[in-house]
Amino acid sequence: MLAGRKYRLEFDSGQAAFAERLGGICRAVWNTGLEQRREYRRRGGWITYAEQCGQLAEAKKDPYCGWLADAPAQVIQQTLKDLDQACRKHGTWKVRWKSKAKWRPSFRFPTAGHLPVEPIGRKWGRVFLPKFGWARFRMSRPLGGASSPRPCPGTASTGSSVSWSTMGSPSGRNTPALDGWAWTGGWSRPP
């Protein structure tokens, strides 16, 4: 039986800002990819995940889209893969846009087994996230399979048996969270 584990991840202020930016990049990739798929469907055609990834690689070279190069390639390719799966399951016209007002920024690293995890002390550990660097987390439980690529029961298919979350922020607003190597968070509007 697989058992999920949840640990509190603590980004520093620079990493938290980068996580926000990366979530916005993934939203832009999702919305652009969805519009592209809908345009193909209007014309009676279909575009595949592989074609969109190729076009994404070309777009990263364009000086007007240099912001795409800030994101780890595996993260934005995973966004396109998630879009492809949603379109195949629900149909291109039933998949929704990622609204800036209603959507919490999120991204995920599909290769959880390749992310190094190290204990720092008895209660703390750290995980290396590409383009983030090392991020500390509180080891409230033993790691026990933290780098296993098997999905956790009861979580979205995130590719890992570990669920990460962050608590507390300097501004007092809601904080970002990593859910099975997938960051979902962003700052909600104050009440």
Side-chain angles (χ1 to χ4, degrees):
M1 178 173 114
L2 292 176
R5 291 177 172 27
K6 193 172 213 173
Y7 301 100
R8 188 170 71 198
L9 181 70
E10 294 188 358
F11 284 137
D12 62 26
S13 60
Q15 290 171 328
F18 183 67
E20 285 280 332
R21 179 165 167 73
L22 185 52
I25 290 170
C26 289
R27 183 179 66 84
V29 167
W30 176 281
N31 289 341
T32 303
L34 181 57
E35 176 58 31
Q36 187 179 34
R37 283 174 177 267
R38 288 182 175 178
E39 188 59 37
Y40 269 75
R41 293 304 299 151
R42 282 186 199 104
R43 296 179 186 171
W46 186 259
I47 187 166
T48 65
Y49 162 74
E51 289 174 294
Q52 283 189 309
C53 279
Q55 292 176 8
L56 180 65
E58 290 299 317
K60 286 175 84 170
K61 296 175 189 174
D62 185 356
Y64 294 109
C65 297
W67 50 272
L68 283 171
D70 292 346
Q74 62 184 343
V75 170
I76 53 179
Q77 287 173 0
Q78 186 62 45
T79 300
L80 285 178
K81 185 169 274 195
D82 293 342
L83 174 63
D84 183 60
Q85 288 175 350
C87 288
R88 288 178 188 272
K89 183 175 181 181
H90 303 292
T92 303
W93 299 106
K94 291 188 179 180
V95 175
R96 296 187 177 199
W97 301 100
K98 302 283 187 185
S99 165
K100 187 174 184 179
K102 295 181 180 179
W103 180 68
R104 290 176 40 184
S106 66
F107 57 86
R108 65 188 178 123
F109 290 92
T111 55
H114 298 278
L115 299 177
V117 177
E118 297 177 352
I120 295 176
R122 189 173 68 85
K123 292 186 177 183
W124 292 94
R126 64 185 189 160
V127 59
F128 186 82
L129 301 172
K131 295 200 176 184
F132 279 90
W134 290 99
R136 285 176 23 128
F137 67 94
R138 175 134 172 117
M139 290 196 315
S140 53
R141 302 177 62 164
L143 284 175
S147 61
S148 171
R150 293 171 297 208
C152 248
T155 63
S157 176
T158 56
S160 176
S161 60
V162 176
S163 181
W164 301 93
S165 65
T166 60
M167 304 294 176
S169 72
S171 64
R173 296 183 287 179
N174 290 342
T175 59
L178 274 167
D179 183 13
W181 301 100
W183 184 79
T184 56
W187 307 116
S188 65
R189 286 180 264 154

